[in-house]
Each structure stands twice: as structure tokens, then as C-alpha cells.
């Protein structure tokens, strides 16, 4: 809460990086660790039942609405998280929502975003991820790709976006299963995309088609094994509206070397891989 150039602003860093925080999100019993914890979540996945979100008209995220010329990303803290990062990173701990233009299927994913200026942000959609596939389908139609980017939210929303859910599964429904209650979502008036009504900050805009706006360099970015991911050109995102709570708290999830989330790290991904292999019939 002592951030140069942003008096009074706050960032919640590594919101799930402790055993207790992971326990609060996943609900596992006290003392469960290691293989036993992995097997516990694998068994929970056997009982998976989607919990669809509900659409609401209002929520705390609409306490402040900025659009058009009023959009100003510089009002939110965007640190240079690692010494040699390519610039200040505003989006590191939230999640983004996109919609496939062909199937209409929603995707929630965790994609970092380097702030370029007051109205433009980067969006690192790594090759092969659903977000990249969806973006490029919009581009193939000659259109910009609508997107909403949450900068702070219920931690389960970020974890659902980071989860490799099964083909055809919906991250919003999985997140509802994870938290034991449906998300309340607001429909963005500019994109038609849903975003959490209880979010801290949400950016609404579009990923710009490279034929309409030149790509911009995104990165380098410090990675978890102690190296930097290279910078390369990416389509930028023009933000057309910002929604935020009073005194919002931005989430930050900069990668750190060898973090283990308090002896509870990685169990969910390991359990999902185990679950998928068992269901595939492989022995």
C-alpha cells in the first residue's frame, strides 16, 4: 500500500500463496498435504457438477464507470515486477473473458498485460491457448476481438481461468463448482461479455486487428524458473470503458522462483492430470 505515484492505492499480491489461503478456496481438511491432498481433489473432480453463473444488473464494480475520453489506466498501480521486465504490468492477477465468434463459447483465461499508455494495454495470448485461437478467429473475419479484463476479483475466478478444464467445459461453471456458489456476472454494455459483479476493476475493450493497428512489443517478463520470456510483438488492446469499486484493490501475481503456495502448490493441476489419465483408460 506504499506505491510510488499512487498514494492510497493497494495491490493484493499472491492471494493464494499459502496453505491457509488455498484451503479457504478449495475447502480441503486441515493437515491434508502431498499425495493425500492430490487424491482428495481428484475424487472431488469425480463429483464435478457445473454451477452456471447468474446475470445481474448491478454490483460493486459499477460504483465508478469511466468510458470514452475518461478512460485512464494510469490511475491504477502497474509495477515493474521484475528488474528487466519490458514495462509496467497492470494485468497479472486477474482473468480475461473472450467469446468464440463461431461457437459462442466463452473462455476465461489468465493472460498478462503490460500497460502501454492511458488507454492501451498488452495482452499476452500464448500460442495454442484458447484465448489465442478465439482472438485469431475474430481476426480471420477482419474484426477486432472483444475482451473484458478483470484486474481484481474473487481468487477462485483467477484459479478457474488458470485451470485446464476439459474440452467443452466452461470455466465460469467450473469456478462456481470450486467456490460452491454461482458467480454473479454483469453483461458489458460495449462487448456483451460477462464480468464479475463483485470485481475490483474491470477493463472493457477490444484486441486490435493488426491490419488496423500495428502490433506492439510485449515483454520481456520474468518467469518462475529464473529466466525472462522474450519480448515479441502482440496485438494491443484498446480500452473503451473501465469499471471499478471505490478504493479498488488490484490483484498481482508476478511469477516468483520456486514458490510452492505453502505446501499446497500444484495439487489441483496434478489431480486434474491424474483424473484425465484415469478416465482415458490408460494404465
Amino acid at each position: 500500500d506504499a506505491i510510488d505515484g499512487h498514494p492510497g492505492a493497494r495491490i493484493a499480491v499472491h492471494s493464494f500463496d499459502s496453505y491457509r489461503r488455498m484451503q479457504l478456496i478449495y475447502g480441503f481438511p486441515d493437515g491434508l498435504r502431498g499425495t493425500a491432498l492430490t487424491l482428495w481433489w481428484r475424487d472431488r473432480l469425480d463429483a464435478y457438477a457445473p454451477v452456471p453463473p447468474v446475470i445481474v444488473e448491478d454490483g460493486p464494480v459499477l460504483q465508478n464507470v469511466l468510458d470514452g475520453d475518461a478512460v485512464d489506466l494510469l490511475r491504477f498501480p502497474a509495477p515493474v515486477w521484475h528488474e528487466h521486465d519490458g514495462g509496467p504490468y497492470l494485468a497479472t492477477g486477474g482473468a480475461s473473458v473472450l467469446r468464440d465468434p463461431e461457437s459462442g463459447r466463452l473462455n476465461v483465461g489468465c493472460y498478462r498485460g503490460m500497460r502501454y499508455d492511458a488507454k492501451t494495454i498488452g495482452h499476452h495470448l500464448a500460442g495454442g491457448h484458447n484465448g489465442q485461437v478465439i482472438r485469431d478467429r475474430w481476426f480471420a473475419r477482419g474484426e477486432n476481438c472483444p475482451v473484458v479484463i478483470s484486474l481484481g476479483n474473487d481468487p477462485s475466478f483467477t484459479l478457474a481461468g488458470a485451470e485446464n478444464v476439459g474440452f467443452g467445459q466452461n470455466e465460469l461453471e467450473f469456478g462456481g463448482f470450486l467456490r460452491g456458489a454461482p458467480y454473479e456476472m454483469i453483461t458489458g454494455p460495449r462487448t456483451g461479455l460477462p464480468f464479475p459483479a463483485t470485481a475490483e476493476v474491470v477493463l472493457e475493450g477490444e484486441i486490435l486487428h493488426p491490419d488496423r493497428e500495428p502490433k506492439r512489443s510485449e515483454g520481456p517478463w520474468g518467469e518462475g524458473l529464473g529466466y525472462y520470456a522474450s519480448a515479441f510483438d502482440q496485438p494491443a488492446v484498446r480500452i473503451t470503458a473501465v469499471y471499478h469499486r471505490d478504493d479498488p484493490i488490484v490483484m498481482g501475481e508476478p511469477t516468483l522462483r520456486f514458490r510452492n503456495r505453502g505446501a499446497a502448490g500444484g495439487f489441483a493441476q496434478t489431480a486434474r492430470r491424474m483424473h484425465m489419465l484415469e478416465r482415458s483408460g490408460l494404465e
Side-chain angles (χ1 to χ4, degrees):
D1 60 3
I3 304 166
D4 288 347
H6 293 276
R10 294 173 292 169
I11 301 178
V13 181
H14 296 304
S15 301
F16 8 87
D17 276 14
S18 76
Y19 183 86
R20 179 59 177 153
R21 292 172 191 168
M22 293 290 277
Q23 185 181 39
L24 287 169
I25 296 169
Y26 284 90
F28 52 78
D30 285 339
L32 204 61
R33 286 177 166 82
T35 300
L37 178 55
T38 299
L39 294 176
W40 175 86
W41 187 242
R42 180 206 61 182
D43 292 343
R44 288 275 290 134
L45 291 176
D46 275 338
Y48 170 73
V51 179
V54 296
I55 300 298
V56 297
E57 298 297 323
D58 199 5
V61 73
L62 296 183
Q63 287 173 340
N64 300 273
V65 178
L66 310 170
D67 57 16
D69 292 339
V71 169
D72 181 12
L73 302 182
L74 303 180
R75 68 170 56 206
F76 304 109
V80 176
W81 293 100
H82 315 95
E83 181 182 6
H84 300 296
D85 283 352
Y89 271 84
L90 180 59
T92 62
S96 303
V97 182
L98 304 95
R99 188 188 302 275
D100 189 312
E102 298 177 5
S103 67
R105 179 179 177 270
L106 291 169
N107 169 251
V108 182
C110 298
Y111 309 113
R112 71 176 189 254
M114 187 171 78
R115 190 185 66 200
Y116 293 129
D117 52 47
K119 300 188 187 315
T120 315
I121 189 173
H123 209 45
H124 180 79
L125 298 178
H129 286 254
N130 283 338
Q132 174 262 315
V133 173
I134 291 172
R135 179 198 67 192
D136 289 354
R137 284 178 176 168
W138 283 97
F139 287 177
R141 297 155 62 102
E143 300 177 58
N144 296 335
C145 174
V147 64
V148 293
I149 304 169
S150 173
L151 302 182
N153 42 254
D154 180 332
S156 69
F157 187 71
T158 298
L159 289 173
E163 184 77 33
N164 294 316
V165 299
F167 181 76
Q169 282 187 337
N170 181 301
E171 289 91 355
L172 292 175
E173 295 176 346
F174 178 82
F177 163 77
L178 175 60
R179 70 194 297 263
Y183 291 119
E184 292 187 343
M185 307 292 286
I186 290 171
T187 301
R190 291 175 174 264
T191 61
L193 294 169
F195 54 82
T198 59
E200 298 285 329
V201 183
V202 169
L203 314 178
E204 188 175 22
E206 52 187 9
I207 308 174
L208 302 171
H209 194 293
D211 290 347
R212 301 182 182 184
E213 182 82 17
K215 295 181 180 180
R216 301 193 194 185
S217 179
E218 199 282 337
W221 168 256
E223 290 288 2
L225 295 178
Y227 62 89
Y228 282 82
S230 297
F232 61 95
D233 291 343
Q234 284 268 28
V237 183
R238 179 181 295 126
I239 304 304
T240 55
V242 177
Y243 313 93
H244 70 87
R245 289 174 179 249
D246 294 337
D247 302 318
I249 303 173
V250 171
M251 289 177 69
E253 281 292 311
T255 47
L256 297 177
R257 293 187 71 189
F258 311 124
R259 76 174 191 256
N260 67 4
R261 291 182 176 164
F267 79 90
Q269 291 288 343
T270 303
R272 177 169 291 283
R273 294 183 183 107
M274 181 183 295
H275 188 256
M276 292 171 64
L277 284 170
E278 289 176 346
R279 296 188 67 176
S280 73
L282 292 175
E283 297 182 359

